[in-house]
Amino acid sequence: MIRSTLMIAGASVALSGCALLSSPDPVQLYRFGGASAYAGTGATSACPDVHVSMRRVDFPEAARGDRILAVTGTEAAYIKGARWVSPAETLFEEALRNAFLDGGTCTVLSSGPLTRDGLLLSVDVRRFEASYVAPGAVPDATIVVLLRLVRPGDRSIVAEDRITVSESAGVNRQSAIVAAFDRATAETSRQIVLWTDQQGFQAMRD
């Protein structure tokens, strides 16, 4: 009888211990960069190839990794229950490289050593966030990028510029926010390719 009582008590403790172990909140994985980043420049088909090497894309520390950054005024947090399937900086760079492959008229993104008249492109992402004007409001997917095109030989700056893109999510919902990031990334990539193409073509003529 004592043995049975001990077994029941032990089972009760074990069950209460299991109840204390909470299951982790489910996390939905998302990706961006699938939207088309068409980048027609209108340059003549006779334009010379502009060979460009792109440095690794820089990302703000808060937006790196797989968490989705949300900013309201001076407050920042990560969207609960949502993650990027890969680090945001990786997905962004993949989307940009694909845009160069699909859209550049003159630009040839070099994977090997630069040619003698090649150029070096720096892409510095300063903001990559869901921007809220107030808690619970409809956010924008906001991307701000600083660009610099350099001649590697003498390190002279060919051109510099700043690109800002915002896409409204339409509703304050995870899937809508991700779709806004997808559109914003496509538009940012399109503008980067267009800018690089035009500035590189001009550098070849100078």
Side-chain angles (χ1 to χ4, degrees):
M1 183 69 178
I2 294 176
R3 183 179 178 185
S4 298
T5 302
L6 289 175
M7 290 177 64
I8 293 172
S12 298
V13 170
L15 288 173
S16 63
C18 290
L20 293 175
L21 297 176
S22 59
S23 301
D25 293 333
V27 174
Q28 178 64 51
L29 296 180
Y30 295 98
R31 66 172 296 117
F32 62 87
S36 174
Y38 59 91
T41 64
T44 172
S45 59
C47 72
D49 287 343
V50 180
H51 290 269
V52 174
S53 178
M54 187 173 74
R55 298 179 58 185
R56 186 173 182 178
V57 174
D58 288 329
F59 243 66
E61 184 174 354
R64 293 176 194 163
D66 62 355
R67 294 182 295 180
I68 304 176
L69 179 64
V71 175
T72 308
T74 59
E75 298 182 357
Y78 295 103
I79 296 177
K80 184 178 180 181
R83 298 286 181 96
W84 299 124
V85 70
S86 298
E89 60 271 29
T90 299
L91 294 175
F92 184 88
E93 184 166 326
E94 287 176 353
L96 181 52
R97 289 186 179 277
N98 287 335
F100 271 105
L101 291 174
D102 296 340
T105 301
C106 301
T107 305
V108 176
L109 202 61
S110 302
S111 57
L114 275 176
T115 60
R116 183 178 178 180
D117 55 352
L119 299 170
L120 181 64
L121 173 65
S122 294
V123 179
D124 182 5
V125 178
R126 292 299 180 91
R127 291 177 63 189
F128 190 86
E129 63 200 34
S131 305
Y132 289 80
V133 295
V138 175
D140 292 336
T142 301
I143 304 176
V144 177
V145 179
L146 300 183
L147 300 174
R148 176 176 289 182
L149 205 56
V150 176
R151 286 190 175 92
D154 58 6
R155 307 301 297 178
S156 61
I157 298 174
V158 173
E160 292 179 293
D161 208 346
R162 176 188 178 100
I163 291 174
T164 300
V165 173
S166 290
E167 288 283 344
S168 175
V171 293
N172 187 21
R173 191 171 61 238
Q174 284 184 10
S175 59
I177 294 170
V178 169
F181 271 110
D182 197 34
R183 295 192 302 272
T185 298
E187 175 59 19
T188 302
S189 298
R190 187 192 70 81
Q191 291 191 31
I192 292 174
V193 174
L194 177 61
W195 179 85
T196 305
D197 210 46
Q198 292 174 338
Q199 298 300 329
F201 181 51
Q202 184 61 44
M204 291 286 289
R205 296 178 61 184
D206 293 343

